[in-house]
C-alpha cells in the first residue's frame, strides 16, 4: 500500500465511512498488526480506545491484602536502575509513567491527561516533537504536587551519563521543555515515528525531582529513595527487603476515583517458579505469581487438578528466550573489568565456532519437551508484531554440519575428544539463572556440543543474583563473565525500536556506565548502528519495517545471539482475581484496576 492509499483510508475513518475496526482489519490483512495500526490512527488524530477490563468496585479499599509471588525478587526500587523485569515490576507498584501500553498495544493515559495526537495538537505534523498535557491534581505520596518540572527532571536525570541509568537510551537524544506547570514538550533531533518512548511504559516511570535532584550524576546510587520510593502510584511504600519483600498500602490520595481496591500489597520474593505456581493454582495461598517459566506439563497438571484455585494466563508478547554469544573476552581483566569491549573473545572471534554453536541448539526438543504452548521454536530475535518478522532466516539443528564447519576451520579433536586450534581448546562456560526449563535447555545444548567436540561447563546462578542491579556482583548477566549466557528479554512496546537498541555500540555494558548499558553481548557492528539510526527517523512504515528486519538478520546471521523460543507473558492468577495483563508493558501496567471478586 502506498502513502496516498493509506491517507485515503485514514480519511475514511475520520469521515465515518470506515470504522476503526474495519481499518484495523484492513491493516492486519496487509501485515501491519493491530498495535501499529492503532498508532497510525492515534498519529492521525483518531484516538485509541482502551481495552482494559471493566472495573467493578464502587469505592477505594476494602479488598484486603493483594498477595503476589515474584520468585525473582527486586533488589532496588528505582525504575531508572532496573536491569530486568523484577526491578521494573517492583518499581511499578509505586511509580507511574505518563502512559502505558495495554494488551492490544494501545496507549492508555496514566499521568497524562490524554494521549497526544495530531488533532489535539500533541503530535507535531512533521514528527519533530510531541506535547504531553499532564493530569491535574496528582500528588506524590508525601503530598508534594506532581508537575512538569518532575517530568523535565527525569529527562535530565536519565540522560546524564554520570547517573548511569538503564533508561538512558530513551532520553539521551531528545530535549524536554516545560511549557507550563502541566505541559511538557519532547523535541526530537529528526522526524520520529516512535515518539511514544520517553515517559511511556516500563522505561517511562517518573521519580520525584525533590527527592532525586541532589543525587543526579555520580552519586546517584546514594539516594535513600532508591530503596524507599515516593511515587504517584496506587500504593504507598511500607517496607522493602532487597531480594525478599516489597510491601505497600493503599494510597488514600490516589488520583483516580474508587481506586485502588486492595488495602495492602505484598510482593514476596524467593523460591522458584514451580512452587509459586502451586501457591496460586493449587493451594490458593497467593493471588498472583509472575513469570511462570515452568514446564508446560506441570502447569497443565496444576490447572486440570480437580480442586484448582487458580489459572494460567497466557498473553501474546514479543519476548524471546535466547542465548547470547560473548563478543568480548570474559577471562582477561582490563582495568578491573572482564568482558571489556576493548577485547575480543578468543574462540568466538572465529565465526565457524559461532555458526557451529547455533547448529547445536535443538529448538524443536526445547519446545516439545519443555515449553509446549508457552514457547515456540524460532530463529528470529523479533517475533512480534508480524510486520517486523523476517522471512530471510531459518533455524537448523544439525550436528553433522556443525562438525563439518569446525573441521574445515581447523579445529582438531584431541585425545580427549575436545577440539583445539592454535593451542586453544574449545571449552565454553554457559551460564543462566537457576530454573528448571533453563537448566534442561542447557543440558540439551551441552549434549549436542559433546558430539561436536565442544566441552561445555554449565553454570547456574540464583535468579536474584543473576538479575541483580548490584554493580559489585560478579555473577550478573550484565557483567557477562562467561562465554555464553541465556535469559528472556521483553519488547516493552509494540514497536521494536527500544527492543533493538540493545545491540547498538553506544549501549555496550561497561565499567564506565556501571554495567547499565543494554548491550550485554558487547557485539558491535557499524552497519547495524547506521541501520538503527535510519530506522529512528524513517516515517514510511514499510521502509521502517524493512530496516528492523535487516537489524534482526544482522544479529542472527552473525550469531551475536541464538534465538531459542518466542515466549508469551505467562502468569498464575487466582480464579477470583481480575487483572488485565499486557505483553507490551509491565504486567502491573494497570495495577490500579486490579480487584478481587467477592
Amino acid at each position: 500500500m502506498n502513502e496516498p492509499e493509506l491517507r485515503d483510508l485514514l480519511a475514511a475513518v475520520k469521515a465515518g465511512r470506515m470504522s476503526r475496526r474495519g481499518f484495523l482489519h484492513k491493516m492486519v490483512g496487509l501485515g501491519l498488526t493491530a498495535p501499529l495500526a492503532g498508532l497510525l490512527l492515534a498519529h492521525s488524530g483518531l484516538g485509541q480506545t482502551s481495552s482494559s477490563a471493566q472495573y467493578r468496585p464502587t469505592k477505594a479499599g476494602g479488598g484486603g491484602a493483594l498477595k503476589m509471588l515474584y520468585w525473582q525478587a527486586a533488589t532496588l526500587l528505582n525504575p531508572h536502575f532496573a536491569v530486568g523485569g523484577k526491578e521494573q515490576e517492583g518499581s511499578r507498584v509505586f511509580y507511574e509513567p505518563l502512559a502505558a501500553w495495554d494488551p492490544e498495544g494501545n496507549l492508555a493515559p496514566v499521568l497524562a491527561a490524554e494521549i497526544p495526537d495530531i488533532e489535539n495538537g500533541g503530535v507535531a505534523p512533521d514528527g519533530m516533537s510531541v506535547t504531553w498535557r499532564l493530569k491535574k491534581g496528582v500528588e506524590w505520596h508525601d503530598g508534594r504536587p506532581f508537575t512538569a518540572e518532575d517530568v523535565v527532571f527525569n529527562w535530565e536525570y536519565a540522560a546524564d551519563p554520570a547517573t548511569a541509568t538503564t533508561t538512558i537510551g530513551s532520553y539521551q537524544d531528545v530535549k524536554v521543555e516545560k511549557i507550563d506547570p502541566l505541559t511538557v514538550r519532547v523535541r526530537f533531533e529528526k522526524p520520529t515515528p516512535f515518539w511514544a518512548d520517553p515517559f511511556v511504559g516500563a522505561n517511562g516511570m517518573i521519580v520525584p525531582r525533590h527527592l532525586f535532584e541532589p543525587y543526579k550524576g555520580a552519586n546517584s546510587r546514594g539516594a535513600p529513595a532508591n530503596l524507599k520510593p515516593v511515587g504517584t502510584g496506587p500504593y504507598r511504600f511500607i517496607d522493602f527487603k532487597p531480594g525478599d519483600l516489597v510491601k505497600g498500602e493503599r494510597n488514600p490520595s490516589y488520583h483516580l476515583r474508587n481506586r485502588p481496591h486492595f488495602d495492602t500489597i505484598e510482593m514476596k520474593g524467593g523460591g522458584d517458579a514451580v512452587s509459586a505456581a502451586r501457591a496460586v493454582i493449587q493451594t490458593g495461598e497467593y493471588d498472583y505469581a509472575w513469570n511462570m517459566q515452568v514446564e508446560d506439563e506441570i502447569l497443565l497438571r496444576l490447572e486440570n487438578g480437580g480442586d484448582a484455585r487458580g489459572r494460567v494466563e497466557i498473553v501474546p508478547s514479543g519476548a524471546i528466550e535466547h542465548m547470547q554469544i560473548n563478543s568480548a573476552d570474559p577471562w582477561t581483566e582490563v582495568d578491573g573489568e572482564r568482558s571489556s569491549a576493548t577485547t575480543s573473545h578468543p574462540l568466538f572471534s572465529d565465526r565457524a565456532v559461532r555458526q557451529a554453536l547455533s547448529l547445536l541448539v535443538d529448538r524443536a526438543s526445547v519446545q516439545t519437551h519443555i515449553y509446549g504452548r508457552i514457547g515456540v521454536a524460532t530463529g528470529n530475535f523479533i517475533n512480534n508484531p508480524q510486520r517486523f518478522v523476517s522471512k530471510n532466516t531459518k533455524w537448523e539443528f544439525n550436528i553433522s554440519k556443525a562438525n563439518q564447519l569446525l573441521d574445515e576451520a581447523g579445529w582438531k579433536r584431541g585425545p580427549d575428544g575436545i577440539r583445539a586450534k592454535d593451542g586453544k581448546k574449545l571449552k565454553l562456560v554457559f551460564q543462566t539463572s537457576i530454573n528448571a526449563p533453563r537448566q534442561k535447555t542447557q543440558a540439551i545444548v551441552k549434549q549436542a556440543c559433546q558430539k561436536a567436540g565442544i566441552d561445555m561447563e554449565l553454570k547456574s546462578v540464583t535468579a536474584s543474583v543473576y538479575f541483580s542491579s548490584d554493580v559489585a556482583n560478579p555473577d550478573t548477566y550484565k557483567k557477562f563473565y562467561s562465554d555464553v549466557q541465556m535469559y528472556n528479554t521483553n519488547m516493552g512496546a509494540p514497536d521494536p525500536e527500544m527492543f533493538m537498541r540493545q545491540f547498538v555500540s553506544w549501549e555496550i555494558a561497561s565499567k564506565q556506565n556501571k554495567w547499565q548499558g543494554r548491550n550485554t553481548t558487547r557485539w558491535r557492528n557499524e552497519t547495524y548502528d547506521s541501520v538503527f539510526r535510519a530506522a529512528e527517523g524513517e516515517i514510511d512504515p514499510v521502509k521502517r519495517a524493512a530496516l528492523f528486519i535487516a537489524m534482526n538478520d544482522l544479529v542472527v546471521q552473525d550469531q551475536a545471539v541464538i534465538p531459542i523460543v518466542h515466549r508469551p507473558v505467562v502468569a498464575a492468577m487466582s480464579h477470583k482475581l481480575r487483572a488485565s495483563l499486557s505483553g507490551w508493558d509491565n504486567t502491573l501496567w494497570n495495577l490500579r484496576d486490579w480487584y478481587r471478586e467477592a
Side-chain angles (χ1 to χ4, degrees):
M1 174 176 288
N2 56 37
E3 184 177 352
E5 290 174 318
L6 180 59
R7 290 187 183 279
D8 287 345
L9 284 176
L10 289 168
V13 178
K14 197 168 283 191
R17 297 191 304 273
M18 175 182 282
S19 67
R20 278 179 55 93
R21 183 182 295 274
F23 177 85
L24 294 172
H25 182 75
K26 178 81 171 176
M27 293 298 101
V28 169
L30 294 170
L32 190 63
T33 77
L36 291 175
L39 281 178
L40 276 177
L41 288 170
H43 186 81
S44 302
L46 299 161
Q48 303 176 77
T49 56
S50 175
S51 65
S52 60
Q54 183 179 358
Y55 182 73
R56 295 187 183 279
T58 56
K59 68 180 182 68
L66 173 62
K67 299 181 67 177
M68 312 170 76
L69 277 172
Y70 277 68
W71 55 278
Q72 294 176 20
T75 55
L76 56 73
L77 296 175
N78 182 333
H80 290 293
F81 298 149
V83 298
K86 59 190 178 62
E87 270 81 34
Q88 291 175 343
E89 297 280 330
S91 298
R92 198 66 168 260
V93 174
F94 309 105
Y95 293 116
E96 297 177 305
L98 296 186
W101 296 105
D102 78 3
E104 279 69 52
N106 294 321
L107 281 173
V110 183
L111 291 176
E114 60 186 356
I115 298 301
D117 57 38
I118 294 283
E119 207 155 87
N120 64 25
V123 177
D126 61 3
M128 294 295 290
S129 70
V130 59
T131 301
W132 291 92
R133 293 173 177 82
L134 309 184
K135 192 172 183 180
K136 295 179 181 178
V138 178
E139 294 181 349
W140 296 103
H141 293 156
D142 60 5
R144 298 279 289 268
F146 165 71
T147 71
E149 291 184 353
D150 291 300
V151 180
V152 173
F153 167 74
N154 273 254
W155 159 63
E156 296 171 341
Y157 178 82
D160 185 349
T163 308
T165 65
T166 56
T167 56
I168 187 171
S170 296
Y171 298 94
Q172 63 185 349
D173 294 327
V174 303
K175 302 292 183 186
V176 182
E177 59 186 359
K178 171 186 171 183
I179 305 302
D180 62 44
L182 290 176
T183 310
V184 295
R185 180 169 295 132
V186 182
R187 294 192 181 277
F188 305 106
E189 296 179 346
K190 54 190 173 185
T192 300
F194 185 52
W195 50 264
D197 182 10
F199 310 116
V200 173
N203 282 354
M205 287 178 268
I206 297 172
V207 301
R209 174 190 175 192
H210 63 280
L211 294 180
F212 283 92
E213 192 166 38
Y215 299 94
K216 175 178 171 289
N219 63 340
S220 61
R221 291 305 191 279
N226 287 341
L227 301 176
K228 295 181 178 180
V230 175
T232 60
Y235 297 96
R236 301 186 304 192
F237 176 79
I238 293 179
D239 191 22
F240 176 45
K241 295 180 174 61
D244 178 29
L245 181 70
V246 176
K247 286 192 72 173
E249 63 182 357
R250 183 176 68 83
N251 174 11
S253 301
Y254 190 57
H255 54 86
L256 207 60
R257 284 188 62 195
N258 301 329
R259 292 169 174 82
H261 168 68
F262 295 100
D263 300 304
T264 61
I265 183 170
E266 177 183 305
M267 184 181 281
K268 178 65 177 172
D272 58 70
V274 174
S275 61
R278 287 192 177 119
V280 173
I281 301 172
Q282 189 174 64
T283 69
E285 297 172 75
Y286 284 81
D287 300 294
Y288 173 86
W290 169 80
N291 190 14
M292 291 293 89
Q293 188 158 8
V294 178
E295 292 164 78
D296 196 27
E297 178 186 353
I298 294 174
L299 292 177
L300 286 168
R301 193 161 60 242
L302 290 172
E303 280 187 293
N304 295 328
D307 57 350
R309 309 281 291 277
R311 65 195 188 277
V312 172
E313 286 286 310
I314 300 175
V315 180
S317 80
I320 179 71
E321 186 80 15
H322 66 292
M323 291 166 58
Q324 294 187 341
I325 306 300
N326 201 336
S327 293
D329 185 352
W331 314 115
T332 298
E333 189 170 299
V334 178
D335 296 328
E337 176 183 11
R338 289 159 54 188
S339 290
S340 167
T342 63
T343 65
S344 296
H345 196 282
L347 304 178
F348 291 135
S349 298
D350 186 339
R351 189 178 182 187
V353 177
R354 305 196 306 271
Q355 291 175 317
L357 185 57
S358 182
L359 289 165
L360 295 168
V361 179
D362 188 356
R363 297 165 176 84
S365 290
V366 172
Q367 176 183 337
T368 301
H369 301 297
I370 301 175
Y371 286 96
R373 62 192 164 140
I374 58 174
V376 179
T378 181
N380 281 318
F381 197 75
I382 301 177
N383 292 276
N384 199 15
Q386 286 299 308
R387 180 173 179 76
F388 298 103
V389 179
S390 175
K391 295 180 173 60
N392 308 320
T393 60
K394 64 178 182 178
W395 63 266
E396 181 181 7
F397 176 60
N398 194 322
I399 295 174
S400 297
K401 192 172 178 180
N403 272 302
Q404 182 182 347
L405 276 171
L406 294 172
D407 286 339
E408 291 173 351
W411 292 90
K412 306 297 183 185
R413 290 181 186 265
D416 58 358
I418 306 304
R419 294 179 182 272
K421 178 181 177 182
D422 299 330
K424 294 177 288 190
K425 282 204 165 190
L426 205 45
K427 291 188 171 185
L428 303 172
V429 175
F430 179 13
Q431 74 174 10
T432 192
S433 62
I434 293 176
N435 168 274
R438 288 196 174 128
Q439 289 169 280
K440 288 188 176 183
T441 301
Q442 279 184 312
I444 289 172
V445 175
K446 178 175 180 174
Q447 185 178 39
C449 284
Q450 288 174 333
K451 296 176 181 178
I454 299 174
D455 184 19
M456 181 169 278
E457 175 188 339
L458 303 183
K459 178 181 176 183
S460 298
V461 183
T462 302
S464 60
V465 173
Y466 188 56
F467 296 109
S468 171
S469 302
D470 180 5
V471 296
N473 182 349
D475 287 321
T476 65
Y477 79 101
K478 286 282 190 175
K479 286 195 172 174
F480 199 175
Y481 288 172
S482 68
D483 303 297
V484 185
Q485 67 179 4
M486 176 173 59
Y487 61 92
N488 177 73
T489 188
N490 300 305
M491 282 191 72
D495 181 282
E497 183 174 311
M498 182 170 61
F499 186 59
M500 297 305 282
R501 194 179 287 137
Q502 65 189 284
F503 297 110
V504 297
S505 61
W506 54 90
E507 281 275 0
I508 286 176
S510 67
K511 181 181 178 182
Q512 183 179 8
N513 59 33
K514 295 184 174 68
W515 291 278
Q516 299 301 287
R518 295 188 63 217
N519 185 342
T520 53
T521 65
R522 280 67 165 174
W523 182 76
R524 105 178 33 235
N525 184 292
E526 290 183 4
T527 301
Y528 185 95
D529 286 352
S530 64
V531 174
F532 183 88
R533 285 301 194 197
E536 285 182 308
E538 181 53 68
I539 299 295
D540 185 300
V542 176
K543 292 179 181 177
R544 193 162 187 270
L547 290 169
F548 281 109
I549 288 171
M551 283 182 250
N552 173 87
D553 295 350
L554 281 167
V555 297
V556 169
Q557 292 171 0
D558 200 37
Q559 291 83 39
V561 291
I562 301 174
I564 303 174
V565 290
H566 170 215
R567 292 178 54 197
V569 168
V570 184
M573 295 173 59
S574 160
H575 282 317
K576 293 185 177 181
L577 182 65
R578 293 294 170 260
S580 172
L581 306 183
S582 173
W584 305 114
D585 205 325
N586 296 128
T587 55
L588 302 183
W589 74 279
N590 71 338
L591 177 63
R592 64 191 190 182
D593 289 339
W594 288 29
Y595 68 96
R596 183 189 293 116
E597 286 190 337

